[in-house]
Amino acid sequence: MAQYARTKGSIALITLTNPPVNALSSAVRKGITETVSRALNDTQVKAVVLCGENGQFCGGADIKEFAKPMSGPALVPMIHAIEAGEKPVVAAIEGIALGGGLELALGCHYRVAHAKARMGLPEVTLGLLPAAGGTQRLPRLTGIPTALELITTGRHITAQEALKLGIVDKVTDGNVVDAAMEMALSVIGRPLSPRRLSTLSTPPLANLDGVFEAAMAQVKRRSRGAMAPVACVKAVRAAAELPYSQGMKRELELMGTLMSSGQAKALQYCFFAQRAVGKWSLPNGAQWNNSRPRDIRTAGVIGLGTMGRGIVVSLVKAGISVVAVEMEEKQLDLGRKEVTGILERDAKRRGVTAPLHLISFALSLQSLRGVDLVIEAVFEDMELKKRVFADLSRVCNQNTMLCTNTSGLDVDQIASVTDRPPLVVGMHFFAPAHVMKLLEVVCGPRSSAEAVATAMSLGKRMGKVSVAVGNCPGFVGNRMLKSYMDESVFLLEEGASPEQVDQALEEFGFALGIFKVGDLSGLDVGWRVRKSSGLIGPDVNPTFPSRVRQGRRYCPLPDLLCEQGRWGQKTGRGWYLYDSAGGRVARPDPEIQRFLQDYRLRYGIPSRRISEQEVVERCVFALANEGFQVLEDGMAAGPEDIDMVYVFGYGWPRHRGGPMFHAAQVGLPRVLQRLEFYYRENPDIPHLQPSALLRRLVGAGSPPIQQWKQYIRSTHSQL
Ligand code: NAI
């Protein structure tokens, strides 16, 4: 709704009232339409100020209304009526003016912002474009390059930047409504036509074609198949080339295509899923809203390798004092240099001082005596981790929480050597830990509600998306990844090349193909895990290694590669060739082609042409199939949790919603049918056998993803 008041004799003050962010629900649109019309018709009123209650101007469209048929006045004519009116309207922007909120402000003749306000057109992140004139008015105000950047990225800007870009006319530290009223009084009687953005032309720009071509190339490169950024460029181009009314038609047309696309649905699903995963619960009834997290002020990190360094940075940036412990001087020095460098570069970029005073470095666990929480990030070796946790039990205060960053070991086994299993949880970060947003919080069967609550909330403080997962080998993300990785190497055996598989997966939208990811993180890592899990051992024939291990199909190609010293980027050679050790640019390697041909010949595997469709289906459906099994086993609370793990931790394309959402979008009967087909063809690959939950869902008529939980028959759910 919108409240109407007349103040200072001649000013109508319209206040949007729809907590918490004054979203433009149909009731609010109706309220604005009516109050604006009242102000324009009231002869006493000479100017109007538009503001929002509770310190927020307007958060934009009400996303909850997206799924419903449109009711109430439309946004476009409402904004047009404000702009076309014969009385100056000043937007008083406090808190946020986002999406439709900023479009509303752009329809006003003047804009005053509070110094702490933030603005932006984030529609692109929901698979849409600013379709209430945003793509047409903003370029006329700021010029094309700025509008292109803001609209295609959805970036939020501060009031100061908005002032610099000409989006607002004034910034105040004081009361923004008072400042807007002052401005309103001062502009009464001034001509309004130069302030009506829709009537202006975009500022002239040399080499218009070149600018748009470059922008299009950039969004295509960045967006990995997402449609919305491309549509945004097209809409801004319409602002540059067409009169406003035709530009608006183009904006509407492009919006129509996006609205009906699966991508907008996927991105909106992600928007809600990201919020839903914070609402964790445990089988004993403890959950996010009845369990209190501890206040963590000091933390210890053990192991300053790849992961420990990033974890220290994340903790320090969240304002937590950290004691970082290594076992040897050289590693400690390397770690210190790296951590200091990251923090200093980050501080320089943000124009602040690096919080180096919050870190101390040590070579003994004794230094962890007084910390509130410890995160262990030593080598992935159960015996070593057990030794470390037993030592921590002795060294740390009775109350210190003990967390492990293991990427898949049994958290309960680690907890069992301590004197405090309820205070042990897994905090599984992703590399590089100061960049990647995902945190899997592994709830062991004995982890207390307080410990889970603390790890979840600490993750949030570090800017992570924390997802509670059960304690099984590989947890959720790495457990599912195994079937995806296995499929990719089986495809190599059958005739594909690493670059062909990677290209198909990158075209699907993955940030990097699976073989490039392997080269980047080091092929030796998985090799060691396979050795320690008994898949590689003295009983394996070194010249003719078996293709069946532990009763299922096994591909020895990655092991053979590692034996040749091809460990990926670090050795300059892996599935691809690099210029030097540590090189980053992957080139196909003819030696790998020969190696694969020899291998197929030696094992008598006929090489066949493998289509892009088969690559994507076998990798992606195998991933989703394991996801169904994860749900059935009670290791993830719902499909949203799995999808957020993949979106934030594994480079899954957000515009495809996550593997479970993707399966729903493709159609569960189709996924089932393709898995049945591939399993018939490959009866020695158990993970292609369709999961019971998938069959049950198809049998129930493929209910919407939000209802899947009702069909899970887990008797031992951990969440
Ligand atoms: P890393 O080999 O880079 O670093 C391990 C560090 O721990 C080394 O610097 C080593 O000197 C130190 N260390 C070993 N024993 C120690 C002890 N007793 N006291 C103090 N320091 C000790 O290993 P990375 O990759 O950082 O992995 C660490 C843990 O994180 C492993 O459990 C791994 O599975 C897990 N992880 C790794 C990810 C990755 O992408 N590398 C991703 C997520 C989890």
Side-chain angles (χ1 to χ4, degrees):
M1 284 141 301
Q3 285 165 6
Y4 183 89
R6 188 133 65 75
T7 61
K8 305 214 184 254
S10 60
I11 297 202
L13 178 66
I14 297 175
T15 310
L16 313 193
T17 58
N18 182 17
V21 292
N22 303 319
L24 293 164
S25 63
S26 67
V28 172
R29 296 196 304 272
K30 183 160 176 279
I32 298 175
T33 307
E34 285 170 2
T35 49
V36 167
S37 155
R38 185 169 159 194
L40 293 177
N41 289 322
D42 184 341
T43 50
Q44 307 276 310
V45 169
K46 303 288 178 230
V48 183
V49 167
L50 198 63
C51 67
E53 73 166 1
N54 288 332
Q56 303 289 346
F57 180 67
C58 175
D62 193 340
I63 188 171
K64 288 192 220 93
E65 289 187 1
F66 279 13
K68 300 179 197 156
M70 166 91 180
S71 69
L75 211 49
V76 170
M78 181 192 96
I79 295 174
H80 184 72
I82 293 173
E83 190 189 59
E86 287 304 332
K87 295 175 186 177
V89 182
V90 183
I93 303 173
E94 204 174 355
I96 51 171
L98 294 175
L102 182 56
E103 291 179 295
L104 172 63
L106 290 173
C108 298
H109 306 102
Y110 296 88
R111 287 159 290 279
V112 177
H114 186 266
K116 293 207 169 122
R118 280 182 305 123
M119 283 151 260
L121 293 172
E123 286 83 349
V124 69
T125 62
L126 292 175
L128 302 172
L129 53 74
T135 67
Q136 303 304 299
R137 284 196 179 89
L138 190 65
R140 288 172 158 84
L141 178 62
T142 64
I144 288 156
T146 300
L148 271 174
E149 196 264 322
L150 293 181
I151 294 172
T152 58
T153 62
R155 183 168 72 87
H156 293 187
I157 56 171
T158 61
Q160 284 71 20
E161 190 178 354
L163 183 66
K164 231 188 311 173
L165 297 174
I167 294 174
V168 298
D169 303 289
K170 187 178 166 119
V171 172
T172 176
D173 278 326
N175 183 310
V176 72
V177 176
D178 287 350
M181 287 212 262
E182 205 178 293
M183 177 169 274
L185 288 171
S186 74
V187 297
I188 291 170
R190 283 205 208 157
L192 284 176
S193 43
R195 310 295 308 182
R196 293 187 177 113
L197 297 179
S198 72
T199 65
L200 310 180
S201 308
T202 53
L205 184 69
N207 189 19
L208 197 71
D209 282 342
V211 168
F212 278 106
E213 274 159 29
M216 191 58 100
Q218 190 184 35
V219 298
K220 283 192 172 157
R221 201 171 50 243
R222 269 207 230 126
S223 59
R224 302 191 264 137
M227 292 161 62
V230 173
C232 288
V233 175
K234 289 184 182 165
V236 174
R237 182 149 202 165
E241 293 176 343
L242 300 173
Y244 174 76
S245 59
Q246 285 181 41
M248 286 300 285
K249 272 194 200 134
R250 184 84 178 113
E251 184 187 88
L252 186 66
E253 199 177 276
L254 289 162
M255 180 66 160
T257 318
L258 294 178
M259 276 296 235
S260 59
S261 81
Q263 295 195 358
K265 289 190 188 81
L267 287 158
Q268 285 152 33
Y269 163 82
C270 286
F271 177 87
F272 289 113
Q274 190 176 338
R275 279 146 190 81
V277 296
K279 299 185 174 170
W280 58 273
S281 61
L282 296 179
N284 63 11
Q287 56 184 38
W288 62 282
N289 56 0
N290 64 14
S291 310
R292 267 174 73 122
R294 287 192 190 175
D295 181 22
I296 301 297
R297 293 172 186 204
T298 55
V301 174
I302 313 177
L304 274 187
T306 309
M307 294 308 290
R309 297 168 190 180
I311 297 171
V312 171
V313 170
S314 297
L315 286 164
V316 168
K317 281 180 71 180
I320 295 163
S321 291
V322 178
V323 183
V325 179
E326 249 299 333
M327 63 174 175
E328 48 167 277
E329 193 93 44
K330 196 170 150 228
Q331 274 298 99
L332 188 73
D333 280 345
L334 276 175
R336 180 190 290 137
K337 271 202 199 96
E338 181 75 16
V339 165
T340 312
I342 298 174
L343 285 170
E344 278 174 344
R345 283 192 296 278
D346 178 70
K348 194 169 164 203
R349 207 174 37 242
R350 295 191 294 135
V352 295
T353 318
L356 300 178
H357 62 284
L358 289 178
I359 324 175
S360 60
F361 296 88
L363 281 168
S364 155
L365 292 188
Q366 296 294 335
S367 329
L368 300 177
R369 184 176 300 279
V371 298
D372 300 325
L373 173 144
V374 174
I375 302 175
E376 164 277 314
V378 303
F379 304 126
E380 186 78 340
D381 173 334
M382 180 55 100
E383 289 319 306
L384 171 64
K385 290 200 192 271
K386 280 184 171 171
R387 273 202 307 280
V388 169
F389 273 75
D391 288 348
L392 285 172
S393 261
R394 278 190 292 278
V395 166
C396 295
N397 286 341
Q398 245 182 343
N399 261 332
T400 300
M401 258 184 71
L402 305 179
C403 310
T404 171
N405 179 48
T406 172
S407 39
L409 298 176
D410 183 347
V411 171
D412 194 41
Q413 231 188 89
I414 297 173
S416 69
V417 301
T418 71
D419 57 351
R420 64 195 82 182
L423 292 187
V424 179
V425 290
M427 284 184 83
H428 181 208
F429 293 81
F430 289 73
H434 59 293
V435 177
M436 295 296 286
K437 297 264 288 178
L438 178 65
L439 174 70
E440 281 186 329
V441 171
V442 188
C443 311
R446 288 182 284 170
S447 305
S448 67
E450 189 190 26
V452 172
T454 305
M456 292 292 287
S457 108
L458 182 58
K460 198 166 172 198
R461 248 176 100 186
M462 288 189 275
K464 307 290 177 201
V465 175
S466 311
V467 182
V469 299
N471 179 38
C472 61
F475 316 128
V476 168
N478 285 346
R479 167 175 165 174
M480 288 170 60
L481 193 69
K482 189 175 176 318
S483 23
Y484 174 77
M485 284 181 14
D486 281 354
E487 278 313 302
S488 66
V489 283
F490 293 157
L491 287 163
L492 294 192
E493 290 185 316
E494 294 166 35
S497 65
E499 46 279 15
Q500 187 200 346
V501 173
D502 278 359
Q503 196 186 342
L505 294 172
E506 284 168 19
E507 261 163 37
F508 176 80
F510 275 101
L512 274 184
I514 181 88
F515 293 107
K516 285 191 193 143
V517 172
D519 276 1
L520 179 71
S521 39
L523 302 176
D524 56 313
V525 180
W527 192 35
R528 289 213 187 90
V529 174
R530 292 192 293 280
K531 279 182 180 167
S532 64
S533 67
L535 278 165
I536 311 173
D539 53 329
V540 174
N541 179 343
T543 50
F544 201 67
S546 158
R547 289 182 60 231
V548 178
R549 309 229 182 135
Q550 298 178 351
R552 52 169 66 197
R553 179 164 163 192
Y554 180 87
C555 171
L557 280 169
D559 305 334
L560 294 169
L561 221 59
C562 284
E563 277 158 23
Q564 294 172 26
R566 299 190 71 123
W567 292 3
Q569 289 186 3
K570 59 175 96 165
T571 56
R573 297 180 321 150
W575 295 109
Y576 292 90
L577 193 60
Y578 301 86
D579 282 340
S580 57
R584 303 242 152 163
V585 183
R587 274 183 295 125
D589 187 352
E591 213 175 278
I592 287 286
Q593 295 301 339
R594 280 194 296 277
F595 163 70
L596 290 175
Q597 275 161 12
D598 289 351
Y599 173 88
R600 291 177 199 126
L601 270 176
R602 212 145 43 96
Y603 284 88
I605 309 169
S607 177
R608 61 186 177 86
R609 217 194 73 73
I610 292 171
S611 68
E612 198 173 299
Q613 179 191 345
E614 178 171 352
V615 172
V616 172
E617 285 185 347
R618 275 183 59 184
C619 292
V620 167
F621 291 170
L623 190 67
N625 196 35
E626 189 61 27
F628 285 112
Q629 203 51 51
V630 162
L631 290 175
E632 190 85 329
D633 291 350
M635 296 298 161
E640 295 87 353
D641 300 74
I642 294 178
D643 285 337
M644 292 305 96
V645 163
Y646 266 81
V647 165
F648 288 105
Y650 292 84
W652 177 279
R654 198 178 161 92
H655 61 268
R656 290 192 190 267
M660 308 319 287
F661 183 86
H662 178 65
Q665 212 164 37
V666 168
L668 298 184
R670 163 105 187 138
V671 175
L672 175 61
Q673 181 224 330
R674 296 309 288 161
L675 280 167
E676 277 171 339
F677 168 78
Y678 290 122
Y679 186 49
R680 256 196 321 274
E681 299 278 298
N682 303 279
D684 54 350
I685 309 181
H687 63 234
L688 289 176
Q689 180 173 20
S691 110
L693 175 59
L694 172 59
R695 285 190 188 286
R696 210 173 303 128
L697 288 168
V698 172
S702 304
I705 195 164
Q706 291 76 11
Q707 291 172 22
W708 288 5
K709 280 187 202 171
Q710 298 165 25
Y711 296 84
I712 298 171
R713 296 229 181 103
S714 173
T715 47
H716 46 269
S717 175
Q718 295 197 10
L719 294 159

